Amino acid sequence: VRIIGGYLDGIDIELSDHLNAVIGGRGTGKSTLLECIRFAFDMSFVSEEAQKQHDNIIKHNLGSERGRIEIKVRSAVMHGQSFTVIRKYGSQPTVKDEYGSISPYHPLDLLPGMELYGQNEIYEITRNGKSHNQLIRKFLDGEHAQHTIEINRVLSALKDNRNDISLEITQKVNIEAEIEQLPKLEDRAKQFEVLGIEEKLETIPKLEKEKQSNRQIFESISRVEGAIQTLKDCLPDTVFLNSNNTATLPNEALLVQQREILDNLKDILDKSIVYLEAQYKITKDNLLPIQQQLIQRHILQEQQIEDAFKDIPASHGKTGRQIGTEYQTLLKKIEEILPKQIDLKSKQVKLSILYSQRSKLLLELDQHTSNRSSTLIKSVKKLNKKLDKKVRLQLHPETNRQILIDFFIDCKLDGVGVRRLEWLSDTDFSPSNIANIIRQGEVEIKAKLGIPDSVVRAFGNLPEYKLLELEEIIIPDTTSIELNVKSSEDEDIFRPINGLSTGQQCTAVLHLLLLDNHDPLILDQPEDNLDNSFISELIISELRKAKLNRQFLFATHNANIPVFGDAEWIGVLSVEDNKGQILPDQQGAIDMPTVQELAVDILEGGESAFNQRREKYAFD
């Protein structure tokens, strides 16, 4: 780890592969060093509060001098290759390979299992059920990941389907609104017939039908042009199968055969497109003069209609021209709406198809979520074996129903607050089942959900697009963590984490963090929420075993961790000229005299204090 600029300017240390400890008085920069590592790796945080603290530390210790962190790592996942992670204040991290070339990897791609927790972050994990789940998922095998990929794929398809349905419903409602006008318009047209003008203006409805038909002809031609363009965009591309790409592949001959078949199809389609485009042009050219003739005739016929208006007798204060114009406008509107009855049927068919597709996607989503839960439960059982009865984990599939309450609160239902939605925490109805019940109307909502009338009415007023969103909600799993609190040879006694003391809660989490992992574990003052007996009796023994295969870095005030853990590297932070430093002769193993003396001074309060405690306790 090398730091250029800022409070720790000049720090240049090489950590042991095993157990490392940073010690020093308060304010010397132990937390700053660890947060600089987190900054370089662009790591996430347990909570917003932890992020605020981190941002504050980095700003005040790197920001003023635009400091830079350089960390050299050896990556297990990259088969032992070395990389250098570089990040300057205000910039994103950069990764270089061992030859100095810029690498495409993110720093955490190199050490994907690395864990870093600042002061009190372990305690924060114990207070947050979501953090429990995230922590435990890190230690489960990756079999569930494929199910998650499939779930996300289906959710994406459901979102597209939802958007399509919402668009079709909007268009359908608009068409229905226009069709609803038709009976009134037709009735008004009959009133004009009473005036005896129907025969004089009998050309108007026929003319409007012609215009409507003419528009439909050219709309259909435009669709053909679009279809030809789509076909051109979909032609098979065999560039990836060229001889340069296939020459060294083991099954080149078969790939060449596939390329030849595709090239043949492309050749046929190219010729077909040329033919289609020629036919389209001929058709369009043939239609154009007819269209122009129709336009000219329509102009003449509309002039004849205008002339006919003069023969219409005045009525109820309106001139013949006004009556004729009003009648003409009315008939135009009727002729525009009539074809939309066919459009409405088309929309209904399309919606039926979309809802059918949605039903299949929802079934697929159920299958993938069930499969993922089954896989996760098996993974948790394997993890419990690794924990060797120190901690017990249990997965409860789809039990965190707070997401449903939050959804309905976001809907801003009239008169419905959190208390009126508490029943959602206890019901077993799935989101899609609730959506279907709501669609059946208020009587079914009341009968099946058994909720107050005010909530029934509010649910009944939910628009369809909100019900579609409701169907796509996945109820999160919950995970319980239980610590074995037995003493000596007693039988196992597992207690849930929320019923434990702060120290016991952090103990349960630490047992998880000390599981097998190829990548480093970095903790800032883990002793803050643990008692000394636990550290010396349990953590130290586990550390001594785990450090053989894993790198640890602790910032600590507790002597037990570096001393009884036999730390291979201890770095002593001191301050000079308002800068934190780790001098070359103040780092190394505990058996180095200088390091030993400083450890006694910092961790034990000095040799005199150490001897006084020994005498006080009457130790030999």
Side-chain angles (χ1 to χ4, degrees):
V1 180
R2 185 166 173 250
I3 302 178
I4 301 94
Y7 176 72
L8 295 178
D9 181 34
I11 290 287
D12 193 347
I13 54 178
E14 184 171 351
L15 301 177
S16 160
D17 290 352
H18 309 294
L19 177 59
N20 303 269
V22 180
I23 64 174
R26 296 200 179 273
T28 53
K30 299 185 298 297
S31 296
T32 300
L33 176 61
L34 269 55
E35 292 302 327
C36 282
I37 293 173
R38 192 203 303 253
F39 173 74
F41 277 85
D42 195 25
M43 299 180 75
S44 59
F45 307 85
V46 168
S47 65
E48 289 184 10
E49 184 60 33
Q51 181 163 3
K52 287 179 183 177
Q53 291 178 0
H54 166 85
D55 292 343
N56 187 53
I57 288 173
I58 294 301
K59 181 179 179 180
H60 284 87
N61 290 280
L62 282 180
S64 60
E65 298 181 19
R66 289 296 187 266
R68 186 173 84 250
I69 318 293
E70 295 182 1
I71 302 179
K72 187 175 181 181
V73 302
R74 187 171 65 253
S75 169
V77 76
M78 300 293 177
H79 312 292
Q81 291 183 63
S82 293
F83 297 85
T84 302
V85 176
I86 304 167
R87 189 174 187 187
K88 181 183 176 181
Y89 182 82
S91 302
Q92 290 299 307
T94 300
V95 175
K96 287 186 176 182
D97 63 23
E98 52 195 7
Y99 305 106
S101 301
I102 300 296
S103 167
Y105 297 116
H106 184 275
L108 287 178
D109 293 334
L110 311 177
L111 303 176
M114 185 165 93
E115 301 279 348
L116 191 155
Y117 297 98
Q119 290 183 40
N120 295 318
E121 276 191 275
I122 292 177
Y123 175 66
E124 289 180 37
I125 290 174
T126 69
R127 315 300 294 173
N128 187 318
K130 185 178 179 181
S131 295
H132 293 178
N133 288 358
Q134 290 174 341
L135 178 66
I136 291 168
R137 291 285 177 99
K138 291 180 180 180
F139 298 101
L140 299 178
D141 58 43
E143 292 181 17
H144 63 277
Q146 186 57 43
H147 294 303
T148 300
I149 291 170
E150 289 301 314
I151 287 169
N152 290 335
R153 178 188 60 77
V154 176
L155 285 174
S156 178
L158 279 167
K159 182 181 178 182
D160 291 341
N161 174 272
R162 176 186 4 126
N163 292 335
D164 290 343
I165 287 176
S166 297
L167 178 62
E168 292 298 323
I169 287 176
T170 301
Q171 293 175 350
K172 177 174 172 283
V173 168
N174 291 338
I175 292 171
E176 285 173 335
E178 290 192 79
I179 290 175
E180 282 177 5
Q181 300 176 49
L182 197 55
K184 292 180 182 179
L185 294 172
E186 289 175 334
D187 185 66
R188 285 179 60 196
K190 287 179 181 177
Q191 293 173 18
F192 280 93
E193 293 170 12
V194 175
L195 298 175
I197 64 173
E198 183 183 11
E199 291 181 4
K200 295 177 181 178
L201 302 178
E202 63 179 354
T203 310
I204 291 176
K206 297 173 183 177
L207 201 60
E208 291 305 320
K209 282 185 180 179
E210 279 190 6
K211 290 179 181 178
Q212 188 71 24
S213 298
N214 200 34
R215 282 194 291 270
Q216 288 178 331
I217 287 170
F218 280 90
E219 284 173 5
S220 63
I221 286 296
S222 295
R223 287 196 295 271
V224 170
E225 183 182 23
I228 293 172
Q229 184 58 49
T230 300
L231 179 58
K232 289 169 75 173
D233 294 339
C234 294
L235 291 177
D237 183 1
T238 57
V239 172
F240 68 98
L241 289 174
N242 64 41
S243 55
N244 290 334
N245 291 339
T246 61
T248 59
L249 299 180
N251 297 297
E252 180 189 7
L254 293 175
L255 292 172
V256 169
Q257 288 180 38
Q258 289 179 316
R259 184 183 68 210
E260 290 172 350
I261 292 170
L262 285 175
D263 283 341
N264 183 55
L265 174 62
K266 184 174 182 298
D267 184 56
I268 292 170
L269 291 175
D270 279 332
K271 292 174 181 175
S272 299
I273 288 170
V274 171
Y275 174 76
L276 290 172
E277 286 180 325
Q279 291 302 311
Y280 169 77
K281 187 176 184 306
I282 291 169
T283 302
K284 192 173 180 181
D285 290 345
N286 289 339
L287 287 171
L288 187 59
I290 301 174
Q291 182 192 33
Q292 290 172 342
Q293 286 182 52
L294 270 173
I295 291 171
Q296 291 299 320
R297 290 192 182 187
H298 288 161
I299 291 171
L300 291 173
Q301 288 159 345
E302 284 179 347
Q303 185 60 52
Q304 292 170 359
I305 292 170
E306 283 281 329
D307 294 338
F309 288 166
K310 299 173 185 176
D311 299 330
I312 300 173
S315 177
H316 295 86
K318 293 180 182 179
T319 66
R321 183 177 295 280
Q322 288 174 325
I323 293 170
T325 302
E326 190 175 335
Y327 183 53
Q328 184 182 31
T329 302
L330 187 61
L331 292 179
K332 281 182 179 179
K333 186 67 176 173
I334 291 171
E335 291 303 324
E336 286 175 2
I337 292 175
L338 284 172
K340 292 188 177 180
Q341 293 175 320
I342 298 172
D343 292 342
L344 180 59
K345 290 180 181 178
S346 174
K347 292 294 176 191
Q348 290 167 338
V349 169
K350 194 166 183 180
L351 276 169
S352 176
I353 293 169
L354 286 170
Y355 274 108
S356 176
Q357 291 171 348
R358 187 171 187 83
S359 295
K360 291 177 182 177
L361 287 169
L362 289 171
L363 176 60
E364 194 176 348
L365 184 65
D366 280 344
Q367 291 170 338
H368 286 306
T369 51
S370 296
N371 291 340
R372 182 173 66 177
S373 294
S374 175
T375 304
L376 284 170
I377 289 170
K378 292 175 184 175
S379 295
V380 168
K381 287 180 180 178
K382 292 178 186 176
L383 190 54
N384 279 331
K385 289 182 180 178
K386 290 182 181 179
L387 289 165
D388 195 25
K389 297 186 178 180
K390 295 188 282 288
V391 174
R392 184 170 67 190
L393 310 174
Q394 288 186 311
L395 182 79
H396 310 283
E398 299 179 27
T399 45
N400 184 2
R401 302 182 71 84
Q402 181 62 39
I403 192 171
L404 275 178
I405 296 174
D406 293 342
F407 171 80
F408 285 113
I409 290 296
D410 288 342
C411 289
K412 294 181 171 48
L413 302 174
D414 188 29
V416 179
V418 174
R419 291 187 62 185
R420 288 188 174 272
L421 295 170
E422 287 176 348
W423 59 274
L424 285 164
S425 299
D426 301 320
T427 182
D428 289 327
F429 284 116
S430 68
S432 59
N433 199 353
I434 294 173
N436 283 331
I437 292 170
I438 292 173
R439 288 190 182 103
Q440 293 169 27
E442 293 185 10
V443 173
E444 289 299 310
I445 297 172
K446 178 72 175 176
K448 292 181 179 177
L449 299 182
I451 53 180
D453 289 343
S454 60
V455 184
V456 169
R457 287 192 294 273
F459 276 16
N461 290 327
L462 278 169
E464 177 64 12
Y465 75 87
K466 295 304 291 184
L467 299 181
L468 296 172
E469 287 181 14
L470 174 61
E471 289 178 327
E472 296 167 25
I473 291 176
I474 295 178
I475 306 294
D477 304 332
T478 57
T479 310
S480 61
I481 302 176
E482 299 174 336
L483 179 68
N484 192 345
V485 296
K486 74 170 184 177
S487 57
S488 63
E489 299 301 320
D490 294 345
E491 291 185 3
D492 295 331
I493 304 172
F494 288 96
R495 288 187 183 162
I497 196 168
N498 56 5
L500 300 173
S501 67
T502 299
Q504 288 174 319
Q505 289 175 336
C506 294
T507 298
V509 172
L510 269 173
H511 279 308
L512 281 167
L513 296 178
L514 290 172
L515 285 169
D516 291 343
N517 191 334
H518 291 297
D519 294 330
L521 172 63
I522 302 174
L523 299 178
D524 191 359
Q525 297 176 209
E527 70 273 8
D528 282 358
N529 295 305
L530 303 171
D531 56 44
N532 274 330
S533 63
F534 170 74
I535 293 173
S536 59
E537 292 171 16
L538 297 176
I539 290 295
I540 297 303
S541 62
E542 289 196 29
L543 265 179
R544 289 170 71 93
K545 288 184 287 186
K547 72 174 187 174
L548 299 175
N549 300 304
R550 187 180 185 188
Q551 187 180 47
F552 294 89
L553 172 60
F554 296 159
T556 182
H557 292 287
N558 189 292
N560 287 324
I561 292 174
V563 176
F564 294 119
D566 287 336
E568 283 74 17
W569 183 91
I570 297 174
V572 183
L573 267 163
S574 58
V575 180
E576 185 174 331
D577 295 331
N578 292 320
K579 295 280 188 178
Q581 60 181 6
I582 300 178
L583 299 174
D585 64 341
Q586 294 183 359
Q587 56 179 297
I590 192 65
D591 53 3
M592 285 182 59
T594 307
V595 172
Q596 199 174 80
E597 290 172 13
L598 288 167
V600 171
D601 285 342
I602 294 167
L603 303 176
E604 305 287 0
E607 186 175 352
S608 174
F610 178 76
N611 288 331
Q612 284 179 28
R613 284 199 299 276
R614 184 172 61 183
E615 290 171 7
K616 198 81 171 175
Y617 290 126
F619 290 150
D620 293 333

